[in-house]
Amino acid sequence: MSASPTSDQVPVTVLTGYLGAGKTTLLNRILSEQHGRRYAVVVNEFGELGIDNDLVVDTDEEVFEMNNGCICCTVRGDLIRIVGGLMKRRDKFDGIIIETTGLANPAPVAQTFFVDEDVRARTRLDAIVTVVDAKHLPARLADSHEAADQIAFADVIVLNKTDLVTPAELEAVEAKIREINRFAVIHRADHANVPVTDLLNQGAFDLDRVLARVPEFLTDDAHEHNDDVTSLSFAVEEDLDAEKFNAWIGALLAEQGADLLRTKGILAYKDDDRRFAFQAVHMIADGAYIGPWRPGEKRESRIVFIGRNLNRPRLRRGFEACRA
Amino acid sequence: MPGLSAHVSSADHILETRASSHDLGAHVVACAFAPDGSAGFALGDGTLRIAADAAWTSIAAHEGAVLALAADARGFVTGGDDGKLQRIAGGEVTTLADFGSRWVEQVAATRTHIAAGYGKRVAVLDAAGKTIKTLEHPSSVTGLVFDAKGKRIGASHVNGASLWFVAAKTDNPRKLEWKGSHTGIAISPDGENVVTAMQENALHGWRLSDGQHMRMSGYPAKTKALSFSRNSKWLATSGAESIVLWPFFGGGPMGKAPTELAGGDAAFCTFVACHPQHEAVAAGFSDGMVVLADIGSERILPVAGPGGRGAVTALAWHPDGARLALGTETGFAAVVDFSKQ
Ligand SMILES: [Zn+2]
Ligand SMILES: [Zn+2]
């Protein structure tokens, strides 16, 4: 598999978030600030009304399991058809924005862009943007899995309605988000006032930018709860053995893929001067060489997991055992 | 341009000597022949281009892209991403139905009925264009076809297909079930078999007499075109480096290997259309090549050579079997006449 983007691949931004968090306000802001660029917007039938755009596609989210029937290996059949239809008039727009329903799990949307050959050929998933409401997020996290999943999947989080909470509440909610996903970029906002340049063309799923934002070293001080979504990262300075890594990650995804929401890694294989980039959404993985280590860049292998039931010592031992 | 023709490969000989062709400048979504013999090409720019004799005309049919095309008793019927079902006849556009924000992704027609798929629903209209019923499905309709007699409608969707009687008073479909996402459908002309294309590069079939399941797999890509030969013996399919033909006789397709014609390794077969009378199939490829293959003799007649025209996205035969319409993703279109000379 190869995931190197080409210029004719249309960028796709996925917008998730609960009803009332400010998704529609954000969407209208993106559309109104676009200075001549045009977007096709895919909305669902339960969405908030009032999207000001001339190319709006109304859809039912149709999630189905792939042939092995695994409950986490799901894709959006409606998106496959819509992307196919939009490509017949592709000269008319520059990007696609997909708004999901408030309660949607983002995995099927993301997996659609890994799994379907036609969608992969014509589009590239740019980033998952999640809008959360600073005031109501703690309650949402307490009463549903989906709120945590939407944060876990996000590349960009718009922490909206900050004007409705005290500074202390804002710190607490941001800390809660960081506990789930330490790798997303968080933008604080009220009335969804985030610059469009912080939302579009993020390249978050481009393999060569997969870990661009991961700090060189992270102190792992987060505590783990069995049912909470958490994020972990590990680094290994010695080169890895490609076969050992493939065997380990393959077995891990097969066994625990349902719990692993997102996995990303940049790997240094023995006797190879190129960086290998790896990413997965649940069990569905993708990887490619992405060019040489840059001058001054530390040659080491790093991997990030975001998910549930992460066993830190076991994952660390597994990763370290891939050393050549 | 005599200076250019000397350089065109002999694979284009038929295109040069027996075709009227045109660069239409937009993705050819589908093509069909109307009862008056004109060929219609539905385009991604919302127009229907009509080739009558050597004259090509353009009609604005939809606001966005045309997504589906069929020929009915009076002319052409199109579905678009503007939610409209349009009839184009005698140079006039008439709106038969407006489904609002829903795309009309599927259209099929006979001399007496029109069926249009939008979301999970299929509207059935009479020849005058009046909606006579609406059929509900468990998920979006991905393929829509009438049987050869025009008595039944088949619709593919997630977890199988539904088979409806057009004239039934009470609307309960026969449900053909198989888990997974089904993305297209064909009914054999003898009415014995239904076959669907599936998301995971395979076909599924049901023998209607006893409900026997049939599984046809091994494709390297998704099958987008399914076409039965007129005598129902062969199912021609796209999705491989050759034209893949499954035998529906002698106990097949179960336990039988398909026949593969016009195989190479440079391109994928992207569209197929069986000849309306003979055991022959027209096939288009991702490199723009179009061939006519005689199934029995396995003889291949090149119609259009590869290169420069984009992947073939549409093929249709005139019912008389003498003319073939073809179109590509870059907007090349032609009507080939096999009868004259
Ligand atoms: Zn799975
Ligand atoms: Zn905690």
Side-chain angles (χ1 to χ4, degrees):
Chain A
M1 280 193 290
S2 162
S4 50
T6 69
S7 56
D8 355 308
Q9 284 178 309
V10 177
V12 178
T13 303
V14 177
L15 202 52
T16 75
Y18 271 54
L19 207 65
K23 255 188 311 185
T24 303
T25 311
L26 186 68
L27 188 50
N28 279 327
R29 182 175 286 275
I30 294 170
L31 296 173
S32 65
E33 282 182 22
Q34 268 314 294
H35 310 298
R37 284 172 68 79
R38 296 187 58 196
Y39 287 84
V41 180
V42 181
V43 299
N44 60 82
E45 61 180 332
F46 302 110
E48 297 162 72
L49 295 174
I51 290 153
D52 184 18
N53 193 48
D54 55 358
L55 185 47
V56 176
V57 184
D58 185 8
T59 188
D60 296 316
E61 295 183 350
E62 292 183 345
V63 176
F64 65 86
E65 291 163 10
M66 293 300 289
N67 49 348
N68 57 9
C70 177
I71 53 157
C72 75
C73 295
T74 50
V75 297
R76 288 264 308 267
D78 60 313
L79 286 182
I80 295 171
R81 288 202 319 284
I82 286 168
V83 167
L86 285 173
M87 288 306 136
K88 288 165 186 160
R89 50 186 278 180
R90 79 136 302 186
D91 53 324
K92 302 228 173 83
F93 58 90
D94 305 295
I96 301 173
I97 300 171
I98 299 168
E99 183 195 32
T100 68
T101 51
L103 282 166
N105 172 353
V109 185
Q111 290 174 158
T112 302
F113 291 86
F114 283 70
V115 163
D116 186 81
E117 66 201 41
D118 298 325
V119 171
R120 276 177 71 99
R122 291 163 184 172
T123 62
R124 62 178 177 83
L125 183 54
D126 183 67
I128 295 177
V129 176
T130 297
V131 189
V132 297
D133 170 341
K135 189 164 180 64
H136 295 106
L137 181 64
R140 295 286 83 79
L141 287 171
D143 66 23
S144 73
H145 259 205
E146 288 82 2
D149 283 355
Q150 290 178 357
I151 290 169
F153 269 98
D155 302 293
V156 176
I157 292 170
V158 176
L159 178 54
N160 198 26
K161 305 199 177 181
T162 54
D163 53 329
L164 302 182
V165 295
T166 65
E169 286 172 324
L170 186 57
E171 288 302 324
V173 78
E174 190 163 321
K176 189 72 200 166
I177 292 169
R178 280 280 166 248
E179 203 173 289
I180 296 167
N181 182 343
R182 288 185 292 147
F183 308 105
V185 176
I186 299 178
H187 296 292
R188 293 182 177 185
D190 52 70
H191 306 96
N193 56 343
V194 180
V196 169
T197 49
D198 288 341
L199 303 170
L200 304 179
N201 296 316
Q202 301 298 294
F205 279 83
D206 291 356
L207 282 169
D208 60 357
R209 289 173 68 180
V210 109
L211 288 190
R213 294 199 197 88
V214 177
E216 284 291 307
F217 182 71
L218 286 159
T219 48
D220 281 333
D221 56 0
H223 51 283
E224 290 135 48
H225 306 257
N226 285 340
D227 205 37
D228 279 359
V229 177
T230 54
S231 43
L232 301 177
S233 70
F234 304 110
V236 167
E237 293 193 1
E238 300 87 345
D239 286 352
L240 300 188
D241 181 278
E243 274 181 39
K244 284 184 190 170
F245 177 78
N246 285 335
W248 171 66
I249 201 77
L252 181 67
L253 294 180
E255 181 195 335
Q256 216 194 331
D259 284 339
L260 295 170
L261 305 182
R262 285 183 77 171
T263 305
K264 312 181 204 187
I266 293 281
L267 310 172
Y269 285 144
K270 186 172 163 52
D271 301 328
D272 205 313
D273 59 4
R274 297 168 299 169
R275 296 165 300 160
F276 188 83
F278 173 88
Q279 62 179 325
V281 172
H282 289 304
M283 297 174 177
I284 297 171
D286 190 13
Y289 286 103
I290 54 165
W293 294 87
R294 299 183 188 97
E297 188 178 18
K298 189 173 176 190
R299 183 181 162 100
E300 66 174 7
S301 298
R302 283 176 284 152
I303 195 161
V304 167
F305 295 100
I306 303 175
R308 295 188 168 84
N309 304 308
L310 302 183
N311 183 325
R312 179 196 306 277
R314 187 168 165 248
L315 289 171
R316 180 188 290 284
R317 276 198 305 276
F319 189 49
E320 286 174 353
C322 298
R323 283 184 285 215
Chain B
M1 303 268 282
L4 279 179
S5 59
H7 299 283
V8 174
S9 73
S10 63
D12 277 342
H13 181 72
I14 285 183
L15 206 57
E16 289 165 5
T17 56
R18 290 173 172 264
S20 165
S21 67
H22 220 74
D23 273 313
L24 304 178
H27 187 113
V28 179
V29 173
C31 54
F33 282 93
D36 67 2
S38 62
F41 297 84
L43 302 191
D45 66 3
T47 62
L48 182 75
R49 308 297 176 92
I50 298 173
D53 299 318
W56 292 70
T57 54
S58 174
I59 290 176
H62 294 274
E63 296 263 335
V66 190
L67 297 175
L69 168 72
D72 79 331
R74 302 184 186 185
F76 298 103
V77 183
T78 58
D81 63 9
D82 56 359
K84 288 184 177 148
L85 178 67
Q86 311 280 52
R87 171 181 276 142
I88 293 107
E92 299 277 310
V93 181
T94 313
T95 299
L96 299 181
D98 186 341
F99 303 111
S101 63
R102 291 288 154 172
W103 288 7
V104 183
E105 292 183 76
Q106 305 296 331
V107 174
T110 64
R111 286 308 184 98
T112 54
H113 291 89
I114 299 161
Y118 59 104
K120 298 173 186 175
R121 298 196 170 116
V122 170
V124 182
L125 295 79
D126 64 19
K130 182 171 159 286
T131 300
I132 53 177
K133 62 170 102 180
T134 302
L135 311 174
E136 300 275 350
H137 300 83
S139 65
S140 291
V141 171
T142 56
L144 189 63
V145 69
F146 282 93
D147 70 11
K149 291 180 176 162
K151 293 199 165 146
R152 288 176 297 184
I153 296 172
S156 58
H157 44 72
V158 173
N159 294 335
S162 299
L163 206 52
W164 306 84
F165 277 99
V166 176
K169 289 276 187 296
T170 56
D171 280 318
N172 286 311
R174 174 160 175 196
K175 289 182 178 147
L176 303 172
E177 292 177 330
W178 187 258
K179 202 165 161 48
S181 177
H182 300 253
T183 55
I185 187 167
I187 303 175
S188 61
D190 61 10
E192 297 287 326
N193 297 293
V194 172
V195 177
T196 58
M198 295 196 67
Q199 171 73 21
E200 44 276 307
N201 302 351
L203 311 181
H204 197 81
W206 294 264
R207 190 162 64 203
L208 295 178
S209 58
D210 59 0
Q212 166 77 46
H213 288 274
M214 300 171 252
R215 185 101 179 125
M216 291 152 272
S217 59
Y219 291 87
K222 279 192 277 188
T223 290
K224 286 170 189 150
L226 301 167
S227 178
F228 273 101
S229 62
R230 184 71 194 93
N231 60 12
S232 297
K233 281 172 73 178
W234 298 96
L235 175 67
T237 62
S238 68
E241 295 92 337
S242 58
I243 311 165
V244 173
L245 294 137
W246 295 94
F248 277 69
F249 56 90
M254 288 78 74
K256 304 270 193 219
T259 295
E260 297 188 37
L261 298 180
D265 47 17
F268 276 80
C269 179
T270 52
F271 210 92
V272 289
C274 281
H275 191 273
Q277 284 124 29
H278 306 302
E279 269 193 23
V281 57
F285 289 79
S286 56
D287 59 4
M289 184 174 71
V290 176
V291 301
L292 179 56
D294 183 89
I295 300 171
S297 70
E298 304 199 355
R299 206 172 74 89
I300 308 297
L301 178 68
V303 176
R309 302 186 186 106
V312 176
T313 49
L315 291 167
W317 285 101
H318 187 282
D320 70 10
R323 284 186 298 152
L324 175 72
L326 63 95
T328 74
E329 64 182 356
T330 61
F332 177 80
V335 180
V336 182
D337 191 337
F338 291 97
S339 67
K340 67 184 174 196
Q341 295 180 345

